[in-house]
């Protein structure tokens, strides 16, 4: 027997990073060593020449949502503000493998977002049209078109919620999360960034309205600037300087099957039937489940959510019946009121905020890393993250992406 | 040599089962697994490894096996099963896999279901500890559930030929099981794996009910069942898995765990080969050596890594002529395919089986899932439960205890404590069985690997991950086991690292020079063993995936050829095509008939909430943007509701039924949400208000009767009702009889036409509908669906919540400032209207659009731009088309749209990109038909 | 699936309940007297602690009553439930 397709993933390099002791002070301290934190450090060093930087991670590097997400990458969001930052990100994804010199397995296999009601259809067409005018590749495909792109979708009219069509973004796809995080980490480390693991930030010091240092489980670290990239723990960290955020942290679960021969050539998402599924590089089916309703930091969700997920999956993909659930897990997602992120300055001088990405921030990793680094370096938001202020909740200038984001990734 | 022994094992030697593997025919016996039957036939190569394509065999006898992956092809195709867990049946067809399975193309015909079970004590594992625990708890009167993944109870006893209380252990097991099964309130589930352990005693178990029956499986019986067990107390008696030692070329078929070889012998009557080498770090493998020798296997050598072999066991070996070499290790193997020789230092020993024992790993997966803390036991070389949980106890070898009597003793203690904690203290003592076991494994040496060719020393046989990979990972700077797991992929395969995880941890600790006690093991995640998607979906498929809601009149719609639209869970008639009609022609006909004469529709899905109480008016004043308390009894008012953020969430009519009673209607999709919304405010914010809300949606059948001749039709079926404009004013209601049944008739209109909404109890829905059809016949009464309803309302500029709105639209944006009270001091959402963003003049506002070409239909969802040429993206968009229709009344197409500064743009020409062209459109007011409202009174 | 002790019905499966976020956030006496900032705090900003959290649940598929609970968001364990209007009990997490 020969080895099956997808059996070989590229090898990781022989050297990734050192494990230094924290220095007593840094120009920039980034709290949270997930994808966003590491990418921010990378762009700080690469684009802005700021290398006296530490990324502080309470656990193991990129072990939070970065290690737990279903890796869907797309930019077909509704509003101009979102299109700006997500498309910026997608463009960076397209050059990232070369940029990092790391095989990130970015695979532009396209994403289908299914419509199941007449209103879904209207909303989808609206989004496709908006995407196109924003320069984003997008198509509306009818059920036959869905079948052509992904033959295993059940497009027959007699399922509970028939597929009435879909939006399709051909440039969308998936990547391999660990490879992405490690690619950024290796490159950041090579430029002088300290990656410090098992280092939990437990407090922050301010003086005269400016941040001056962080307290950590490995001692006090002085900092010229502090940038929060703590995803699910953002509220807890902001609270340390008395800053309240409009966020709720929820468990979000995902699951994989065992390795299967290729059956699923693209990524399919359905808000109405609550399925998001792709077949990852090795052949496993990767699925995101619905969000658990309650606030929780426990990195575990409730099993009935998984059962609902399975029934939804079989509605759309009857061939999955005898695939097996191999592993389930949960992350902690920081959900904002308008399903859009908060990226920018804070009332505390030198403290920067990047949070609220909720169920969909993996795709933003390069884009937000770049824009957030810019924000930190210039003490001024990058045009792409300018709309995503904390103040928008006061003025009412929300960027409501519930339609496009829902619990979607 | 025949690898099937002459006697013994729990197989039925008198019955032959025929099966095929990789296209070749074989036979086996009832009681066999696919693995045991293949081994008995001398088939050791099951599949091949995923990356290197190296042959893979059977390493373990149970669900912890990492290599014997097969695809079952008949009775029904199923990927990635372990040959060691597939029970043999006649006609089974399977093939070996190279680490990837294949999904069946045809639909799975099997049924699946789920069952809820409540108990006081759940015991997981029916080995000696679990059996004693279950029996102890059962004798105390507790409701006990005992689950075990095997097809029979006994656990580790199934793989040995030991005696308990001086009789074969199987007899003792049978007695315990018999007592359990005859005790009321006790449930014993075989072939049932507890795979997930959640909070509050919630345990999920998968029962395989018919797989072992193969083609004889009865059609009506669910193939697999998910048990949702809610228990007060749990005893985990999940046992221990034997751990291999890693050495160069340790991945050849024929290299098997020693205890598993013993299991194949005693349970299935199958020998691992004719000449075997045993390699161990502890006592337990000696029993395998002795038993196999007694069954005729030539044990070429026992290699014991410890400096000294245990004297008593060494003597027993000597008595059987088995050579024991202590202080040595296996350094390599040979073989093309199956192992053909073993290297011990410079010695080469020819053999066809190598049996390995590196000690035991307690099965702590469920304990860990229950958030139990683990502790590294340095003597055992494994993580063990590090302390009790208040509702979860661990007994037997799952604790790291390997002595049988001690395990049973733990089972008794756990059973007693669990029952007592659940309130059952009268537990009768269960005598502990006395064991004659010769081998305990405590006295082992912890050895992860034998140094040598690291590239050929496999840690995870399924992932082809080697010692070299682990060392490369630590060399790359990785410190955490989670990182090493991801770098090497160890533990990510089908077996989730059951046998490889601990060894990888050991090698990492060695490489980093740290204590394992300081390392955190990788997280155990549900499920313990894999579970088919279909089993988890259970019955919630097809129409049961989400309930289907239909109105009382639904059968009539079906009988009259309606096509349906899904709105929430409801099926609503969309339109009623006649022969040859498409959507547009049918809808034009329905619209025309309604505007010119009379039409009617089924409006029963609109949500209806009965709001009663002294403070009902006050309450509704807070919920609606306009005033409801001033509404007079007998009258009706349209109202809009906003969220606290000031965005429109719903609309509908409110009728005042009495001084303290209103009937509120909601949109079809939002009925439940609005009731919840009301309850939330009432209960959490204003509990002092005397208001009660009840959903009455299903109580009513609601029929809007619409068009200039509606009055005539109504008069015909409601002789007691004065339908004149003076007696029955717009926005009033009357209780009367329609078609002989009590009815409430409201004069409201969502089309601009003279219209009545007839409400009767749902029971009379069809009869009244048919009476109206009959009465309307002279006028060509036409039933219409949601599409026509949408066109008619759009011609009048009435928004549909959810279509014209998207949670970013205020009443003012919809041109409904008239419905926003200026008098009320407060209502939900009011404060948000004062925010900066709400006061921009360039908000998107609802307007009408008329394409310059009256025949051009704008696609709904089109975007709107300002210029007649498209600049390079990003193009500035002014808004989008929310609704668009051809209109019979207007004799042209038209659209509604949300447009930036729309109200100021009336009269302007804008452009709508459609395909590759830009369609010029004129912005108009949203009301396009009968602006004066002349048609309302007929 | 958690078991949630409804103060009216007793312990019931989590799937019967609807979550309502932070408890004890009163609707402002007079919203028109608030600044935009204060109003935004009421509309959008909620506590999101890692640890004991007083929150609201509704027993939607049961008695349909709202009640309050204190739950440890780290473990998801319910520490106390109490009826609307009752003071938050002391809990130890
Ligand atoms: C199941 C699931 C599926 C998802 N699917 C998708 C998807 O398909 N597509 C998509 O785009 N997005 C998806 N997401 C969302 C995406 O994963 C997140 O938005 C994104 O990863 C968040 O950014 P991050 O990588 O920096 O977060 P994380 O990886 O969570 O990083 C935050 C880090 O901060 C650390 N931290 C927290 N507190 C402290 C402290 N006090 N001191 C030090 N360190 C601290 C944490 O340990 C963590 O490592 C999914 C999320 C989940 C959970
Ligand atoms: Zn209740």
């Amino acid at each position: 027997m020969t080895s099956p397709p997808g059996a070989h993933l590229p090898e990781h390099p022989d050297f990734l990073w050192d494990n230094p002791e924290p220095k007593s002070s840094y120009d920039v301290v980034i709290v949270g060593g997930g994808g966003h934190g590491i990418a921010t450090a990378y762009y700080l060093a690469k684009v802005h020449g700021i290398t006296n930087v530490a990324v502080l991670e309470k656990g193991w590097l990129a072990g939070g949502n970065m290690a737990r997400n279903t890796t869907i990458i797309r930019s077909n969001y509704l509003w101009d503000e979102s299109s700006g930052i997500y498309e910026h990100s997608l463009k960076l994804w397209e050059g990232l493998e070369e940029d990092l010199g790391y095989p990130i397995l970015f695979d532009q296999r396209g994403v289908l977002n299914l419509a199941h009601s007449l209103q879904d259809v209207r909303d989808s067409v609206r989004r496709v049209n908006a995407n196109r005018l924003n320069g984003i590749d997008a198509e509306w495909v009818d059920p036959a078109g869905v079948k052509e792109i992904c033959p295993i979708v059940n497009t027959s009219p007699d399922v509970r919620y028939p597929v009435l069509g879909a939006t399709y973004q051909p440039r969308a796809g998936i990547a391999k999360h660990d490879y992405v995080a490690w690619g950024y980490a290796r490159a950041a480390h090579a430029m002088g960034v300290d990656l410090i693991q098992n280092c939990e930030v437990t407090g922050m010091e301010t003086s005269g309205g400016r941040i001056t240092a962080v307290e950590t489980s490995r001692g006090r670290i002085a900092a010229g600037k502090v940038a929060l990239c703590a995803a699910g723990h953002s509220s807890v960290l902001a609270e340390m300087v008395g800053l309240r955020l409009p966020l709720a942290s929820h468990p979000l679960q995902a699951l994989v099957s065992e390795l299967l021969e290729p059956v699923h050539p693209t990524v399919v998402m359905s808000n109405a039937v609550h399925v998001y599924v792709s077949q990852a590089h090795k052949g496993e089916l990767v699925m995101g489940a619905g969000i658990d309703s309650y606030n929780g930091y426990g990195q575990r969700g409730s099993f009935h959510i998984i059962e609902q997920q399975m029934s939804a999956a079989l509605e759309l993909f009857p061939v999955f019946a005898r695939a097996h659930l191999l592993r389930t897990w949960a992350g902690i997602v920081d959900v904002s009121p308008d399903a859009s992120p908060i990226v920018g300055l804070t009332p505390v001088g030198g403290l920067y905020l990047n949070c609220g990405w909720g169920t969909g921030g993996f795709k933003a990793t390069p884009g937000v890393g770049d824009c957030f680094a810019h924000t930190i370096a210039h003490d001024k938001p990058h045009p792409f993250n300018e709309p995503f202020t904390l103040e928008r909740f006061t003025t009412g200038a929300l960027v409501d992406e519930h339609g496009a984001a829902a619990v979607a990734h | 040599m025949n690898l099937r022994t002459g006697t013994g094992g729990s197989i039925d030697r008198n019955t032959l089962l025929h099966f095929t593997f990789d296209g070749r025919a074989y036979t086996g016996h009832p009681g066999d697994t696919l693995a045991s039957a293949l081994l008995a036939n001398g088939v050791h190569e099951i599949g091949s490894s995923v990356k290197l394509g190296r042959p893979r065999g059977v390493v373990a006898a149970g669900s912890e096996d990492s290599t014997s992956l097969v695809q079952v092809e008949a009775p029904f195709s199923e990927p990635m099963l372990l040959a060691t867990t597939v029970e043999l049946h006649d006609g089974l067809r399977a093939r070996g896999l190279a680490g990837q399975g294949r999904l069946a193309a045809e639909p799975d015909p099997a049924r699946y279901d789920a069952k809820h079970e409540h108990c006081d004590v759940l015991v997981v594992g029916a080995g000696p500890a679990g059996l004693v625990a279950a029996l102890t708890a059962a004798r105390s009167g507790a409701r006990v559930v005992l689950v075990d993944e095997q097809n029979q109870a006994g656990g580790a006893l199934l793989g040995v030929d030991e005696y308990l209380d001086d009789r074969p252990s199987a007899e003792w097991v049978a007695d315990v099981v018999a007592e359990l099964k005859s005790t009321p309130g006790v449930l014993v589930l075989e072939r049932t794996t507890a795979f997930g352990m959640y909070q509050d005693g919630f345990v999920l178990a998968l029962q395989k009910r018919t797989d072992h029956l193969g083609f004889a499986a009865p059609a009506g019986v669910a193939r697999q069942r998910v048990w949702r067990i809610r228990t007060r107390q749990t005893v985990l008696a999940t046992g221990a898995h034997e751990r291999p030692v890693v050495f160069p070329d340790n991945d050849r078929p024929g290299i098997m765990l020693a205890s598993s070889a013993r299991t194949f012998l005693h349970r299935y009557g199958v020998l691992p080969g004719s000449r075997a080498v045993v390699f161990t770090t502890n006592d337990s493998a000696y029993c395998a050596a002795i038993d196999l020798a007694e069954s005729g296997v030539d044990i070429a050598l026992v290699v014991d890594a410890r400096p000294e072999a245990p004297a008593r066991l060494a003597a027993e070996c000597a008595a059987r002529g088995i050579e024991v070499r202590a202080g040595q290790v296996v350094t390599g193997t040979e073989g093309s395919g199956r192992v053909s020789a073993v290297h011990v230092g410079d010695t080469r020993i020819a053999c066809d089986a190598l049996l390995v024992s590196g000690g035991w790993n307690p099965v702590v997966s469920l304990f860990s899932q229950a958030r139990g803390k683990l502790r590294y036991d340095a003597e055992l070389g494994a993580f063990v439960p590090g302390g009790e949980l208040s509702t979860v106890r661990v007994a037997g070898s799952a604790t790291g205890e390997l002595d049988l009597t001690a395990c049973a003793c733990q089972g008794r203690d756990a059973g007693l404590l669990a029952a007592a904690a659940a309130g059952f203290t009268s537990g009768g003592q269960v005598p502990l069985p006395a064991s004659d076991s010769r081998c305990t494994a405590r006295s082992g040496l912890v050895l992860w690997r034998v140094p040598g060719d690291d590239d050929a020393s496999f840690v995870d046989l399924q992932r082809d991950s080697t010692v070299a990979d682990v060392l490369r990972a630590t060399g790359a700077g990785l410190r955490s086991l989670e990182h090493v797991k991801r770098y090497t992929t160890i533990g990510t395969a089908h077996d989730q690292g059951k046998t490889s995880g601990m060894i990888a941890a050991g090698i990492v600790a060695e490489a980093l020079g740290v204590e394992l006690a300081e390392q955190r093991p990788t997280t155990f995640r549900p499920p313990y063993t894999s579970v088919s998607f279909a089993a988890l979906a259970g019955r919630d498929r097809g129409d049961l995936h989400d309930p289907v809601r239909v109105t009382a009149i639904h059968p009539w719609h079906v009988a009259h050829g309606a096509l349906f639209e899904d709105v929430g869970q409801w099926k609503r008639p969309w339109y009623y095509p006649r022969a040859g009609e498409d959507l547009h022609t049918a809808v034009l006909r329905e619209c025309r008939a309604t505007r010119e004469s009379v039409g009617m529709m089924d409006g029963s899905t609109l949500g209806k909430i009965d709001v009663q109480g002294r403070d009902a008016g006050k309450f509704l004043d807070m919920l609606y943007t306009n005033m409801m308390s001033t509404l007079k009894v007998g009258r009706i008012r349209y109202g809009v509701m906003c969220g606290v953020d000031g965005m429109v969430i719903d609309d509908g009519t409110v009728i005042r039924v009495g001084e303290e009673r209103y009937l509120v209607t909601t949109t079809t999709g939002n009925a439940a949400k609005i009731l919840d919304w009301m309850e939330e405010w009432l209960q959490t914010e204003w509990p002092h208000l005397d208001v009660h809300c009840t959903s009455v949606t299903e109580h009513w059948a609601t029929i809007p009767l619409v068009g200039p001749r509606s009055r005539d039709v109504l008069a015909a079926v409601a002789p007691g009702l004065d339908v004149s404009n003076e007696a029955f004013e717009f926005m009033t209601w009357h209780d009367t009889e329609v078609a002989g049944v009590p009815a409430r008739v409201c004069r409201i209109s969502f089309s601009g036409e003279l219209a009545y909404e007839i409400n009767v109890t749902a029971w009379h829905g069809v009869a009244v509908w048919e009476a109206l059809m009959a009465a309307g016949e002279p006028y060509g009464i036409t039933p219409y669906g949601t599409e026509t309803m949408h066109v008619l309302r759009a011609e009048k500029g009435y928004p549909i919540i959810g279509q014209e709105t998207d949670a970013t639209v205020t009443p003012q944006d919809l041109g409904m400032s008239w419905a926003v009270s200026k008098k009320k001091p407060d209502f939900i959402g009011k404060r948000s209207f004062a925010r900066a963003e709400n006061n921009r003049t360039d908000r998107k506002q609802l307007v009408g659009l008329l394409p310059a070409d009256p025949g051009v239909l704008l696609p709904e969802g089109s975007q709107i731009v300002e210029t007649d040429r498209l600049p390079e993206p990003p193009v500035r968009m002014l808004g989008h088309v929310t609704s668009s229709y051809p209109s019979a009344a207007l004799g042209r197409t038209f659209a509604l749209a949300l447009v930036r500064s729309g109200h100021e743009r009336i009269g302007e020409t804008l452009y709508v990109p459609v395909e590759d062209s830009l369609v010029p459109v004129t912005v108009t007011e949203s009301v396009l038909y009968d602006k004066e409202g002349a048609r309302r009174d007929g | 699936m958690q078991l949630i002790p409804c103060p009216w019905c007793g312990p019931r499966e989590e799937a019967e309940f609807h979550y309502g976020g932070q408890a004890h956030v009163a609707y402002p006496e007079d919203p028109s007297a608030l600044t935009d900032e204060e109003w935004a705090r009421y509309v959008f900003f909620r506590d999101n602690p890692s640890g004991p959290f007083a929150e609201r649940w509704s027993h939607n598929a049961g008695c349909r009553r709202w009640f309050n609970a204190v739950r440890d968001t780290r473990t998801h364990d319910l520490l106390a439930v109490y009826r609307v209007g009752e003071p938050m009990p002391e809990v130890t997490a």
Side-chain angles (χ1 to χ4, degrees), chain A residues 11 13-14 160-161 261 300 315 324-325, chain B residues 78 101-102 369 472 487 531 533 542 546 875:
Chain A
E11 300 263 315
D14 286 337
R160 177 66 184 91
Y161 292 111
E261 291 176 17
R300 62 160 24 195
E315 269 300 279
H324 300 100
L325 175 70
Chain B
E78 179 158 359
R102 177 181 296 169
Q369 284 184 32
R472 229 161 53 77
Y487 189 100
V531 182
F533 284 13
D546 200 25
V875 180

Short mmCIF file of all heavy atoms in Angstrom, two decimals, chain A residues 11 13-14 160-161 261 300 315 324-325, chain B residues 78 101-102 369 472 487 531 533 542 546 875:
data_model
loop_
_atom_site.label_atom_id
_atom_site.label_comp_id
_atom_site.label_asym_id
_atom_site.label_seq_id
_atom_site.Cartn_x
_atom_site.Cartn_y
_atom_site.Cartn_z
N GLU A 11 7.53 19.18 7.17
CA GLU A 11 8.20 19.10 8.47
C GLU A 11 8.40 20.50 9.03
O GLU A 11 8.60 21.45 8.29
CB GLU A 11 9.59 18.47 8.28
CG GLU A 11 9.55 17.08 7.70
CD GLU A 11 9.65 16.03 8.79
OE1 GLU A 11 10.49 16.19 9.68
OE2 GLU A 11 8.86 15.07 8.74
N PRO A 13 10.79 23.16 11.00
CA PRO A 13 12.25 23.32 10.96
C PRO A 13 12.93 22.80 12.23
O PRO A 13 12.28 22.58 13.25
CB PRO A 13 12.44 24.83 10.82
CG PRO A 13 11.16 25.44 11.28
CD PRO A 13 10.08 24.44 11.03
N ASP A 14 14.23 22.63 12.12
CA ASP A 14 14.99 22.09 13.24
C ASP A 14 15.13 23.08 14.39
O ASP A 14 15.46 22.69 15.50
CB ASP A 14 16.38 21.67 12.77
CG ASP A 14 16.30 20.38 11.98
OD1 ASP A 14 15.32 19.64 12.16
OD2 ASP A 14 17.21 20.14 11.16
N ARG A 160 -34.84 19.47 5.41
CA ARG A 160 -35.61 20.37 6.28
C ARG A 160 -35.46 21.82 5.84
O ARG A 160 -36.42 22.56 5.76
CB ARG A 160 -35.15 20.17 7.74
CG ARG A 160 -35.82 21.09 8.75
CD ARG A 160 -37.31 20.79 8.88
NE ARG A 160 -37.97 21.73 9.78
CZ ARG A 160 -38.54 22.87 9.39
NH1 ARG A 160 -38.49 23.23 8.12
NH2 ARG A 160 -39.14 23.65 10.25
N TYR A 161 -34.24 22.25 5.62
CA TYR A 161 -34.00 23.61 5.13
C TYR A 161 -33.19 23.52 3.84
O TYR A 161 -31.96 23.48 3.88
CB TYR A 161 -33.26 24.44 6.17
CG TYR A 161 -34.08 24.73 7.41
CD1 TYR A 161 -33.78 24.16 8.63
CD2 TYR A 161 -35.19 25.58 7.32
CE1 TYR A 161 -34.55 24.42 9.76
CE2 TYR A 161 -35.96 25.85 8.45
CZ TYR A 161 -35.64 25.27 9.65
OH TYR A 161 -36.41 25.53 10.75
N GLU A 261 -10.35 9.72 3.23
CA GLU A 261 -9.98 10.07 1.86
C GLU A 261 -10.70 11.35 1.46
O GLU A 261 -11.80 11.61 1.96
CB GLU A 261 -10.37 8.92 0.91
CG GLU A 261 -9.53 7.69 1.12
CD GLU A 261 -9.99 6.53 0.24
OE1 GLU A 261 -10.72 6.77 -0.73
OE2 GLU A 261 -9.61 5.39 0.56
N ARG A 300 -14.22 24.52 27.99
CA ARG A 300 -15.03 23.34 27.71
C ARG A 300 -16.47 23.81 27.52
O ARG A 300 -16.91 24.77 28.12
CB ARG A 300 -14.93 22.28 28.81
CG ARG A 300 -15.43 22.75 30.13
CD ARG A 300 -15.80 21.64 31.12
NE ARG A 300 -15.15 20.38 30.90
CZ ARG A 300 -15.55 19.24 31.46
NH1 ARG A 300 -16.61 19.23 32.25
NH2 ARG A 300 -14.93 18.12 31.24
N GLU A 315 -27.63 16.69 8.07
CA GLU A 315 -28.65 17.28 7.20
C GLU A 315 -28.03 17.69 5.88
O GLU A 315 -28.57 17.43 4.81
CB GLU A 315 -29.24 18.53 7.85
CG GLU A 315 -30.46 18.31 8.70
CD GLU A 315 -31.60 17.72 7.90
OE1 GLU A 315 -32.30 18.47 7.20
OE2 GLU A 315 -31.77 16.49 7.99
N HIS A 324 -16.35 9.32 12.08
CA HIS A 324 -16.33 9.25 13.54
C HIS A 324 -15.76 10.51 14.16
O HIS A 324 -14.77 11.06 13.69
CB HIS A 324 -15.49 8.06 14.01
CG HIS A 324 -15.99 6.75 13.52
ND1 HIS A 324 -15.43 6.11 12.45
CD2 HIS A 324 -17.01 5.96 13.94
CE1 HIS A 324 -16.08 4.97 12.23
NE2 HIS A 324 -17.04 4.86 13.12
N LEU A 325 -16.41 10.89 15.23
CA LEU A 325 -15.90 11.98 16.05
C LEU A 325 -14.69 11.46 16.81
O LEU A 325 -14.76 10.47 17.52
CB LEU A 325 -16.99 12.39 17.03
CG LEU A 325 -16.65 13.44 18.07
CD1 LEU A 325 -16.48 14.78 17.40
CD2 LEU A 325 -17.76 13.50 19.11
N GLU B 78 -17.87 1.34 6.48
CA GLU B 78 -17.55 2.22 7.62
C GLU B 78 -16.04 2.31 7.76
O GLU B 78 -15.35 1.30 7.79
CB GLU B 78 -18.16 1.66 8.91
CG GLU B 78 -17.84 2.54 10.12
CD GLU B 78 -18.81 2.36 11.28
OE1 GLU B 78 -19.76 1.56 11.16
OE2 GLU B 78 -18.61 3.03 12.30
N GLY B 101 -9.53 6.36 5.99
CA GLY B 101 -10.71 5.58 5.61
C GLY B 101 -11.48 6.23 4.49
O GLY B 101 -11.12 7.30 4.00
N ARG B 102 -12.55 5.57 4.10
CA ARG B 102 -13.35 6.09 3.00
C ARG B 102 -14.81 6.14 3.44
O ARG B 102 -15.32 5.18 4.01
CB ARG B 102 -13.21 5.18 1.78
CG ARG B 102 -14.08 5.64 0.61
CD ARG B 102 -13.94 4.72 -0.58
NE ARG B 102 -12.58 4.74 -1.09
CZ ARG B 102 -12.12 3.87 -2.00
NH1 ARG B 102 -12.90 2.92 -2.45
NH2 ARG B 102 -10.89 3.97 -2.42
N GLN B 369 -11.25 14.12 32.22
CA GLN B 369 -12.36 14.89 31.65
C GLN B 369 -13.25 15.47 32.74
O GLN B 369 -13.81 16.55 32.58
CB GLN B 369 -13.22 13.99 30.76
CG GLN B 369 -12.62 13.68 29.41
CD GLN B 369 -13.60 12.86 28.58
OE1 GLN B 369 -14.80 13.00 28.71
NE2 GLN B 369 -13.08 11.99 27.73
N ARG B 472 13.99 16.04 17.80
CA ARG B 472 14.06 17.22 16.93
C ARG B 472 13.18 18.33 17.51
O ARG B 472 13.55 19.50 17.48
CB ARG B 472 13.59 16.85 15.52
CG ARG B 472 14.53 17.30 14.42
CD ARG B 472 14.30 16.54 13.11
NE ARG B 472 12.91 16.56 12.67
CZ ARG B 472 12.33 17.61 12.09
NH1 ARG B 472 13.02 18.72 11.87
NH2 ARG B 472 11.08 17.54 11.71
N TYR B 487 4.26 19.20 17.00
CA TYR B 487 5.44 19.14 16.13
C TYR B 487 5.57 17.74 15.51
O TYR B 487 5.86 17.59 14.34
CB TYR B 487 6.68 19.47 16.96
CG TYR B 487 7.97 19.67 16.20
CD1 TYR B 487 8.43 20.96 15.91
CD2 TYR B 487 8.77 18.58 15.83
CE1 TYR B 487 9.63 21.16 15.24
CE2 TYR B 487 9.96 18.77 15.16
CZ TYR B 487 10.40 20.06 14.87
OH TYR B 487 11.60 20.24 14.22
N VAL B 531 -16.68 8.02 18.00
CA VAL B 531 -18.13 7.82 17.96
C VAL B 531 -18.63 8.30 16.59
O VAL B 531 -18.26 9.39 16.15
CB VAL B 531 -18.82 8.66 19.05
CG1 VAL B 531 -20.32 8.42 19.04
CG2 VAL B 531 -18.24 8.35 20.42
N PHE B 533 -20.67 9.96 13.69
CA PHE B 533 -21.48 11.18 13.62
C PHE B 533 -22.97 10.82 13.71
O PHE B 533 -23.74 11.50 14.38
CB PHE B 533 -21.25 11.90 12.29
CG PHE B 533 -19.95 12.65 12.19
CD1 PHE B 533 -18.93 12.46 13.10
CD2 PHE B 533 -19.75 13.56 11.16
CE1 PHE B 533 -17.72 13.16 13.00
CE2 PHE B 533 -18.56 14.26 11.05
CZ PHE B 533 -17.54 14.06 11.96
N GLY B 542 -33.60 14.95 9.17
CA GLY B 542 -34.74 15.18 8.29
C GLY B 542 -35.75 16.10 8.96
O GLY B 542 -35.39 17.12 9.54
N ASP B 546 -35.47 19.87 12.90
CA ASP B 546 -36.04 21.05 13.54
C ASP B 546 -37.55 20.91 13.32
O ASP B 546 -37.98 20.59 12.22
CB ASP B 546 -35.50 22.31 12.86
CG ASP B 546 -35.66 23.54 13.74
OD1 ASP B 546 -35.71 23.39 14.97
OD2 ASP B 546 -35.74 24.65 13.18
N VAL B 875 -15.44 50.88 -4.13
CA VAL B 875 -16.41 51.82 -4.64
C VAL B 875 -17.30 52.28 -3.49
O VAL B 875 -17.74 51.45 -2.69
CB VAL B 875 -17.29 51.14 -5.71
CG1 VAL B 875 -18.33 52.12 -6.26
CG2 VAL B 875 -16.42 50.57 -6.82
#
